[in-house]
Amino acid sequence: SRATTAHPPGEKVSGGRPRPTAIFFAGASNLTRKHLNEAFEAKGLSGLVDVEHLTKDELLCIFASTEAASAALQGLEAGYEDVELGEGEGPGLWRLRHGMLNFRLATTDDVKPQREAQEAREASKAESTMRLRINGDAVEVSRAKACDR
């Protein structure tokens, strides 16, 4: 089996409580729910309810039940050698077939980084204030700041 559950160099190893209805993926940049659905359906697995992108490269697949997530994880660990090579195979299935996605049972530590989200909001706010300073007078800037809070 070319599937890998090992942690790539530099990946944080989660120590939180298991989330039995979710699978964590690393190396998943630019993958969508459609790509992941294709990969699970190729193995006859179902129950995928949602895909939550944590970072540019990491995501969670949320399943309808613990049983569905467990079956999906077992299917992933078994590899994709038993799945026939299809014409127009999507990137999710291709990466899984070639061992380019790392996966494991998700934990409570697998969440979006709060600091990055906060920094993005602050940068956006600072940019709009700078635009106002360039384009408006001091009274307009103070009014805009009051509205922005």
Side-chain angles (χ1 to χ4, degrees):
S1 168
R2 296 182 68 143
T4 177
T5 56
H7 299 283
E11 181 188 337
K12 66 179 191 300
V13 177
S14 181
R17 291 185 320 272
R19 288 179 62 181
T21 59
I23 299 174
F24 171 88
F25 284 89
S29 61
N30 299 320
L31 291 184
T32 65
R33 182 178 176 151
K34 177 182 170 187
H35 299 141
L36 294 162
N37 264 332
E38 175 192 22
F40 289 122
E41 288 172 2
K43 294 281 288 184
L45 303 167
S46 62
L48 182 64
V49 174
D50 195 17
V51 173
E52 181 182 331
H53 290 271
L54 304 178
T55 67
K56 184 178 177 181
D57 194 50
E58 299 174 340
L59 59 82
L60 292 179
C61 287
I62 314 295
F63 289 85
S65 68
T66 301
E67 293 77 21
S70 178
L73 189 57
Q74 288 173 1
L76 291 168
E77 289 171 343
Y80 278 77
E81 287 80 22
D82 60 330
V83 176
E84 292 210 19
L85 194 58
E87 189 75 25
E89 194 171 273
L93 182 54
W94 191 89
R95 288 185 204 178
L96 282 165
R97 185 185 300 280
H98 293 90
M100 298 180 72
L101 280 178
N102 296 300
F103 53 85
R104 61 173 166 74
L105 185 65
T107 70
T108 54
D109 289 348
D110 298 323
V111 294
K112 286 185 182 180
Q114 292 298 315
R115 194 178 84 219
E116 287 179 13
Q118 180 67 25
E119 287 173 359
R121 282 192 298 272
E122 289 173 2
S124 175
K125 196 178 221 180
E127 182 181 334
S128 65
T129 302
M130 290 302 291
R131 244 187 263 134
L132 285 169
R133 286 187 181 144
I134 294 169
N135 299 328
D137 64 15
V139 174
E140 289 176 347
V141 171
S142 64
R143 281 188 203 144
K145 280 186 176 179
C147 291
D148 201 25
R149 293 179 195 174

